Amino acid sequence: MDGSCRPGRRCPWPSVLLTGALLLLLAEPATLRAQVPDTIPRDTAVIPIPPEVMEDDTVPDTALASEDSILPAPTIPEYPHPAPTGWAWADWEWGREELARYHGLSLIDLIDRIPGIVVTRAGGFGRPTGVSTLGMGGGRVRLFIDGYEMDPLASATLDLQHYGIADLGSLRVSRSLNEVRIEISTFRLQDSRPYSRIEIGAGNYETKLLRALFSRTIGAQNIVTAAFGLASTRGIGISEPFTRNLGALGWSYSLSPELGFEAQYRFTGVERRSSADRVPQIFDENMTRQELVLRGRARPFADLTVEGIVGRSWRAPADSTSFVDDELASTQAVLRAVYQTRPVWVDGSARLRGGSDRGVATPGLELALRGGLRPFPWLQATGEVRHANAADIAGVDLSATVRAGSWWGISLFGTVASGERALGLIRDSTFTVPREIETEVDGV
């Protein structure tokens, strides 16, 4: 058969040559692999190892790790606050992350940001800052630090300018017809790693700011926390120096995640001096205030938390230039418990006080019961009954509130308050100020 290419006939050679080239290309990798010597010598014996002899992989797989390498801190049980927060419920709460972005100088700067609360600085030099809400004139302001109430001691209302925020962990503010309730929880270590924080600032009028906090675990059951805060200024015109310093030291011992004890010591120093040519120096103040508080807290059941507190507050002038030159003190014993289970919560407390013969007559015995019902996320009913006696005068006050919302930023509420309250008065409170009376007689 003639295989040559002639005119009019298809030539088969290009197809044959192309097919042969493809076969050579396909066969080349197999030929090359056959020329590479085997990595395992032919005379090597492979001996299987029993599974029980083999150890686990020495390099852990982080994706399969079941436990975190950071251990939690041995903190005592946290006292719960079951009521919701927000504008719709007239309760505001700031946690650790929100407070880290706050740079105020004192507690009053943060309270001033709450809607409906008015801060007044009326009166003469050295008068305490007042707080009111929604035009309320007869209400009171109460400050609690980890459940221990801070009594004003030397005045009828607390001066929130004197409370620093160096060891502030969380803050909750409740607004009602009866009172403005401020609840502070101090800083609590979240895990076993040491924690430290330092803030430094400076401004006009020779203003200086320093806040420092350190906390760490000791052993497997102890936590030690120390805090220091300083705020000072020379005032407008560099003529009214003011200095406030705060020191706090805390120790907690956790027997178990459901039982623990804690001790806290707080020190507050205030020095305020006025200019002789602008403000009378009789309102100068130089004082120290201290608190020593012991508490035990337990959670016997998942829905029940109980706590016992014993503490003492005392205030003393640092020198003879202070306007209030008396040593005042207050002793307080507290027993409280909270039970919460959906949709009901109940919080009860009993406070027993004893104080000095002078100063504000705070209630000697106070019994309070608060509760709430929240059947739906948008509906809540709360109520409170309180019995207190001060200076042999007893009173019972009641309050109830129903709130619904919010929808498109609008909430509906109705509240009522009634009863009698035993107001604290200053006992033996004639603080006299000596003054020189100049007389002139004609002819002498």
Side-chain angles (χ1 to χ4, degrees):
M1 181 178 181
D2 188 357
S4 61
C5 296
R6 296 179 182 179
R9 298 183 61 184
R10 180 176 298 179
C11 183
W13 295 111
S15 299
V16 175
L17 292 176
L18 182 59
T19 303
L22 292 175
L23 292 175
L24 290 175
L25 291 175
L26 294 174
E28 184 178 3
T31 305
L32 293 177
R33 286 195 299 268
Q35 295 175 0
V36 178
D38 200 344
T39 55
I40 301 177
R42 298 296 183 184
D43 57 351
T44 301
V46 179
I47 302 175
I49 300 177
E52 62 271 10
V53 180
M54 298 182 63
E55 297 181 356
D56 295 335
D57 193 354
T58 57
V59 180
D61 188 355
T62 56
L64 299 178
S66 59
E67 295 183 0
D68 196 346
S69 58
I70 301 177
L71 300 176
T75 57
I76 67 175
E78 183 178 358
Y79 195 85
H81 298 282
T85 58
W87 169 260
W89 314 109
D91 281 38
W92 286 264
E93 185 172 4
W94 289 267
R96 180 173 174 179
E97 296 182 359
E98 292 86 357
L99 292 173
R101 298 188 293 267
Y102 171 69
H103 302 288
L105 298 179
S106 65
L107 185 59
I108 193 65
D109 298 328
L110 184 57
I111 302 301
D112 197 13
R113 301 187 178 192
I114 298 176
I117 289 184
V118 179
V119 176
T120 59
R121 293 178 173 88
F125 177 81
R127 297 291 180 90
T129 300
V131 174
S132 183
T133 174
L134 299 176
M136 179 180 62
R140 57 177 174 174
V141 180
R142 305 181 69 185
L143 175 62
F144 300 85
I145 298 182
D146 290 331
Y148 179 83
E149 185 169 5
M150 306 295 288
D151 295 328
L153 296 181
S155 59
T157 183
L158 284 168
D159 194 347
L160 300 181
Q161 296 178 107
H162 292 174
Y163 291 90
I165 55 175
D167 62 338
L168 194 61
S170 65
L171 175 67
R172 185 185 183 100
V173 180
S174 303
R175 204 184 61 191
S176 67
L177 291 178
N178 287 337
E179 63 187 20
V180 176
R181 186 183 183 95
I182 305 172
E183 297 180 90
I184 291 178
S185 296
T186 55
F187 176 85
R188 296 194 178 277
L189 196 63
Q190 295 182 342
D191 53 60
S192 58
R193 296 173 298 179
Y195 179 89
S196 62
R197 183 180 69 224
I198 298 178
E199 298 180 55
I200 301 176
N204 294 331
Y205 315 121
E206 297 186 13
T207 300
K208 302 177 181 63
L209 170 67
L210 171 63
R211 285 199 289 260
L213 174 69
F214 176 76
S215 182
R216 65 157 302 160
T217 60
I218 298 179
Q221 296 175 297
N222 301 271
I223 296 179
V224 175
T225 302
F228 176 77
L230 172 66
S232 65
T233 180
R234 297 286 294 175
I236 300 177
I238 317 298
S239 60
E240 297 175 355
F242 174 83
T243 301
R244 185 204 67 239
N245 53 71
L246 164 70
L249 181 63
W251 165 76
S252 67
Y253 180 78
S254 177
L255 291 173
S256 69
E258 311 301 333
L259 176 62
F261 300 92
E262 190 174 53
Q264 290 179 336
Y265 170 77
R266 302 180 66 86
F267 171 87
T268 303
V270 175
E271 183 177 2
R272 181 183 62 238
R273 301 189 182 279
S274 57
S275 174
D277 57 346
R278 297 183 59 185
V279 180
Q281 294 183 347
I282 59 175
F283 293 107
D284 288 357
E285 185 175 13
N286 190 4
M287 69 90 181
T288 61
R289 173 171 176 150
Q290 302 174 72
E291 274 87 23
L292 180 61
V293 181
L294 306 176
R295 73 170 43 83
R297 188 178 298 165
R299 185 177 292 123
F301 306 102
D303 299 330
L304 177 64
T305 303
V306 296
E307 181 178 49
I309 304 174
V310 176
R312 181 173 177 83
S313 301
W314 64 98
R315 181 188 189 277
D319 56 29
S320 59
T321 64
S322 182
F323 170 56
V324 180
D325 57 357
D326 289 342
E327 294 186 3
L328 307 175
S330 173
T331 304
Q332 188 175 154
V334 185
L335 180 62
R336 62 177 186 163
V338 59
Y339 175 80
Q340 57 174 347
T341 180
R342 293 184 178 182
V344 179
W345 62 271
V346 179
D347 189 350
S349 63
R351 298 180 185 273
L352 182 64
R353 289 184 179 90
S356 305
D357 294 335
R358 302 190 66 181
V360 176
T362 53
L365 175 63
E366 179 180 347
L367 304 176
L369 182 64
R370 299 188 299 162
L373 174 64
R374 194 180 185 189
F376 306 102
W378 49 269
L379 180 63
Q380 177 183 238
T382 59
E384 181 176 7
V385 54
R386 182 187 299 116
H387 168 83
N389 63 329
D392 299 329
I393 300 176
V396 177
D397 57 296
L398 307 166
S399 64
T401 303
V402 177
R403 292 184 176 270
S406 64
W407 302 282
W408 306 284
I410 299 176
S411 62
L412 304 176
F413 70 93
T415 182
V416 60
S418 179
E420 298 177 349
R421 179 188 305 163
L423 295 177
L425 301 176
I426 298 180
R427 297 170 294 192
D428 191 16
S429 59
T430 306
F431 296 104
T432 59
V433 179
R435 301 185 63 181
E436 296 181 359
I437 302 176
E438 298 180 359
T439 60
E440 182 178 353
V441 180
D442 295 337
V444 179

